[in-house]
Amino acid sequence: MGAMANICLSMALSDFYAKHPSYETRLSLQRWESLGAVAAAPAVGYLPQTSAEASCAIQLGDNHSPSYSPLLIRTTMPDFSRLAEATVSTLEMFEWNKVTLIYEDMEFSNSIIPYLTDALVNKDIQLSHKIAIPIFAEDFQILDRLEVLMSSQSEVFVVHMSSNLASRHFVVANKEGMMGKGFAWLVTDGLSNFVDTMDPIAIDSMKGVIGLRPYVPKTRALKNFRTIYKRISSMKQNKAATKLNLLGLWLYDIVWGLGMTVERIGNVNSGFLKEMNDRTWLIGILNPSFRGISGVLDLVNRQFQPSVFEIFNITGKRNRVIGYWTNDQGISKNNNSTSRNTPRILQAEEPTRAKWTIGVPSKKGFNEFVNIRSGNKSNDDELPGFSIEVFRKVWDFALPSTTSYEFVNINGTYDDLCCQVKYQKIHAAVGDISIVASRTNCVDFTLPYLETGVAMLIKVRHDGPKDMWIFLKPLSWDLWLVIIAICIFIGIVVRVLERRENTEFNGSARKKLSTILMFPCQSVAIPQRDMVVTNGSRLVLVVWIFLALILMQSYTANLSSILTVNQLQPTIPSIKELRKSYVGYQNHSFVKGFLINQLGFQESMLKPYCSVVDYQEALSKGSENEGVSAIFDEIPYIKLFLAQYTTGYLMVGPTYRTDGLGFALPIGSPMVANFSRAILNFTQGKYMNSLE
């Protein structure tokens, strides 16, 4: 780095006075090998070479701040306010709402923390962890820090450290599998400025990392400068020089700015310079409009503040530019201040972060809920099932066109599926996953997108008419006896009232008995006007006919029901007796534990089934023939069964409440709130009913 600085400073003086041979003033370059001698210099452009020297630069700046040494010019960035704002704007662009800061444990790196913390708070982004790595940390020490982050389920990392430590850090992270799917990395300019000079192994480990660095426009002057620098650095005496980077360009521009400023002030001697206001002769370079080969230089209190940051994706040999950040416009895909050689912008089909890996249950039945296989993308035009359709709609609400995803089938139980989220094998679990308390130890659930409950499915028998005496069943036997008694009583009363006036009720004893028995039936079946002649008999007859009409209507209704409607009767009388029989449940479901722990069934009496067809076969056989007497499952699955088998089966018994079906995400994930809000927006919209 020091050799590179010497070359850039020498080239700056040579190029400047070669272009301006008529200038009367000349700058004299003096070099100090010790940091302690820097205080004696009237004007210094200082380039830190290591982390330790960067810390010394901070100390130098404290001892010689603008108020004490206005002739000091810093080529480092002790004020990280713009860098912090650009970093947080990048996080906001990718909708990363929870980040972890990894930084080098030294004063130079610590300086960014207050700026970054304030910027994160302003954008409502959570800083979950701050991990400091020692300057001379061994690989095992770096590994210890990374294991802490893996156990905390961190996914997005901001790295602020020097290139020497960062190169080893990313190699270790890559070996631990933290550079692949499920993790996102953002590095600041402390590393991004030196990406081109890093070890190829480290570069290969950093593929997919997002970088942030001051923007340098690609101009013809810059291209010529690089060519000359490469030729000079290849000479024998300069072989220690590193590849050209941004700090070398800044040094070159500083010398040009000083040269123009001194010439504008005029040829002065050192004695006259001391008598002047120290701030006066630097007024030219302090002008933020000064432009060099590195772009526009903003010197605020003699401290560099890049006006434009470049956001890029590290891909290996060449980096892909994503966009630009400016202090006044924020992030944009194009930089208005760039030349026509603007770098190519990353397109939508070239994602900058790993895809979300979405775990779905591997189901053999009930494909109406989940019918998807590993590798399916978000744009597949098949019928993926109700739960997957809901997830796709919710994804569009929660993360519109920001990230992509792919599905991976997970074999095993639904509990195993949730554990895959806990162990960071997948980003989220999606499907017909029931929200139960036991799974909250592994994941956080979104709000339910479908309400459910556990009920019982049984087979029913048909009790239709089977004998010739069916016409007697509409009324009970005791009611038949009462009717017969009333008929006899009515006949006797009418005989007594009519015996003197009506000759029909006179005659032999056999005729009198026949009249008493037949009169009530005859008055209802064949009513005649002159059946009775006395007023008392007429009153009794009216009451009887009214009662007879009520009995006939009731009889007709009951008989019609018996003859036309098959009576469905459950094949089991109660849960208590059901415990003695075999009972079924859906394979891999939480219902098995529910039957054992809450309803008191023996595990040996439970049988798992996978599909609607399996349910039908098991219920048809019955518990005595290697089938089951009943099946317990959640209501949506039972409704699906009854829609296919409309007769012979019935959902009965009490409904045991559950919390519904939802999606599973890592514990503490900020995306839980995003997905829950999206679920509310979708389920309360117009598309949910049609999808159901």
mmCIF file of all heavy atoms in Angstrom, residues 44 54 91 217 415 421 434 438 463 540 562 660 680:
data_model
loop_
_atom_site.group_PDB
_atom_site.id
_atom_site.type_symbol
_atom_site.label_atom_id
_atom_site.label_comp_id
_atom_site.label_asym_id
_atom_site.label_seq_id
_atom_site.Cartn_x
_atom_site.Cartn_y
_atom_site.Cartn_z
ATOM 1 N N VAL A 44 -0.694 17.138 4.975
ATOM 2 C CA VAL A 44 -0.442 15.707 4.868
ATOM 3 C C VAL A 44 -1.622 15.018 4.220
ATOM 4 O O VAL A 44 -2.764 15.231 4.614
ATOM 5 C CB VAL A 44 -0.184 15.087 6.268
ATOM 6 C CG1 VAL A 44 -0.024 13.572 6.130
ATOM 7 C CG2 VAL A 44 1.047 15.692 6.896
ATOM 8 N N ALA A 54 -4.578 2.389 10.672
ATOM 9 C CA ALA A 54 -5.858 3.090 10.583
ATOM 10 C C ALA A 54 -6.250 3.653 11.936
ATOM 11 O O ALA A 54 -6.771 4.759 12.040
ATOM 12 C CB ALA A 54 -6.929 2.150 10.054
ATOM 13 N N LEU A 91 -29.937 -2.022 2.770
ATOM 14 C CA LEU A 91 -30.712 -3.012 3.517
ATOM 15 C C LEU A 91 -32.202 -2.819 3.290
ATOM 16 O O LEU A 91 -32.959 -3.786 3.112
ATOM 17 C CB LEU A 91 -30.394 -2.904 5.010
ATOM 18 C CG LEU A 91 -28.970 -3.239 5.450
ATOM 19 C CD1 LEU A 91 -28.780 -2.887 6.925
ATOM 20 C CD2 LEU A 91 -28.667 -4.708 5.227
ATOM 21 N N PRO A 217 -16.246 6.971 -11.636
ATOM 22 C CA PRO A 217 -16.716 6.875 -13.028
ATOM 23 C C PRO A 217 -15.608 6.382 -13.953
ATOM 24 O O PRO A 217 -14.428 6.718 -13.777
ATOM 25 C CB PRO A 217 -17.138 8.310 -13.360
ATOM 26 C CG PRO A 217 -16.350 9.163 -12.416
ATOM 27 C CD PRO A 217 -16.200 8.368 -11.157
ATOM 28 N N ASP A 415 -44.080 -32.204 12.372
ATOM 29 C CA ASP A 415 -43.123 -31.744 13.375
ATOM 30 C C ASP A 415 -41.713 -31.748 12.809
ATOM 31 O O ASP A 415 -40.916 -30.836 13.080
ATOM 32 C CB ASP A 415 -43.193 -32.634 14.625
ATOM 33 C CG ASP A 415 -44.508 -32.470 15.375
ATOM 34 O OD1 ASP A 415 -45.178 -31.445 15.162
ATOM 35 O OD2 ASP A 415 -44.862 -33.358 16.166
ATOM 36 N N VAL A 421 -36.946 -25.910 9.797
ATOM 37 C CA VAL A 421 -36.848 -24.451 9.883
ATOM 38 C C VAL A 421 -35.950 -24.056 11.046
ATOM 39 O O VAL A 421 -35.096 -23.167 10.926
ATOM 40 C CB VAL A 421 -38.247 -23.826 10.046
ATOM 41 C CG1 VAL A 421 -38.150 -22.307 10.178
ATOM 42 C CG2 VAL A 421 -39.132 -24.195 8.877
ATOM 43 N N SER A 434 -50.790 -27.399 10.796
ATOM 44 C CA SER A 434 -51.667 -26.978 11.893
ATOM 45 C C SER A 434 -50.862 -26.231 12.951
ATOM 46 O O SER A 434 -49.736 -26.602 13.281
ATOM 47 C CB SER A 434 -52.350 -28.193 12.522
ATOM 48 O OG SER A 434 -53.157 -28.862 11.578
ATOM 49 N N SER A 438 -47.057 -27.529 20.608
ATOM 50 C CA SER A 438 -45.803 -28.270 20.640
ATOM 51 C C SER A 438 -44.823 -27.802 19.570
ATOM 52 O O SER A 438 -43.613 -27.964 19.728
ATOM 53 C CB SER A 438 -46.079 -29.764 20.475
ATOM 54 O OG SER A 438 -46.731 -30.022 19.237
ATOM 55 N N ASP A 463 -81.726 -47.420 8.228
ATOM 56 C CA ASP A 463 -82.863 -48.095 8.857
ATOM 57 C C ASP A 463 -84.137 -47.728 8.106
ATOM 58 O O ASP A 463 -84.836 -46.774 8.438
ATOM 59 C CB ASP A 463 -82.978 -47.693 10.333
ATOM 60 C CG ASP A 463 -81.886 -48.349 11.159
ATOM 61 O OD1 ASP A 463 -81.286 -49.321 10.665
ATOM 62 O OD2 ASP A 463 -81.625 -47.877 12.277
ATOM 63 N N VAL A 540 -120.294 -32.707 21.374
ATOM 64 C CA VAL A 540 -119.310 -33.790 21.556
ATOM 65 C C VAL A 540 -118.690 -34.168 20.218
ATOM 66 O O VAL A 540 -117.475 -34.420 20.106
ATOM 67 C CB VAL A 540 -119.989 -35.005 22.218
ATOM 68 C CG1 VAL A 540 -119.021 -36.194 22.238
ATOM 69 C CG2 VAL A 540 -120.454 -34.673 23.622
ATOM 70 N N ILE A 562 -91.203 -41.975 7.611
ATOM 71 C CA ILE A 562 -90.733 -43.356 7.685
ATOM 72 C C ILE A 562 -90.605 -43.977 6.308
ATOM 73 O O ILE A 562 -89.644 -44.683 6.004
ATOM 74 C CB ILE A 562 -91.672 -44.188 8.581
ATOM 75 C CG1 ILE A 562 -91.584 -43.702 10.031
ATOM 76 C CG2 ILE A 562 -91.339 -45.664 8.501
ATOM 77 C CD1 ILE A 562 -92.593 -44.346 10.955
ATOM 78 N N GLY A 660 -56.008 -23.535 13.667
ATOM 79 C CA GLY A 660 -56.045 -23.355 12.219
ATOM 80 C C GLY A 660 -54.752 -23.747 11.541
ATOM 81 O O GLY A 660 -53.819 -24.277 12.141
ATOM 82 N N LEU A 680 -53.901 -11.455 6.398
ATOM 83 C CA LEU A 680 -55.128 -10.707 6.694
ATOM 84 C C LEU A 680 -55.645 -9.997 5.449
ATOM 85 O O LEU A 680 -56.848 -10.008 5.153
ATOM 86 C CB LEU A 680 -54.857 -9.699 7.813
ATOM 87 C CG LEU A 680 -54.734 -10.256 9.232
ATOM 88 C CD1 LEU A 680 -54.401 -9.133 10.205
ATOM 89 C CD2 LEU A 680 -56.015 -10.956 9.654
#
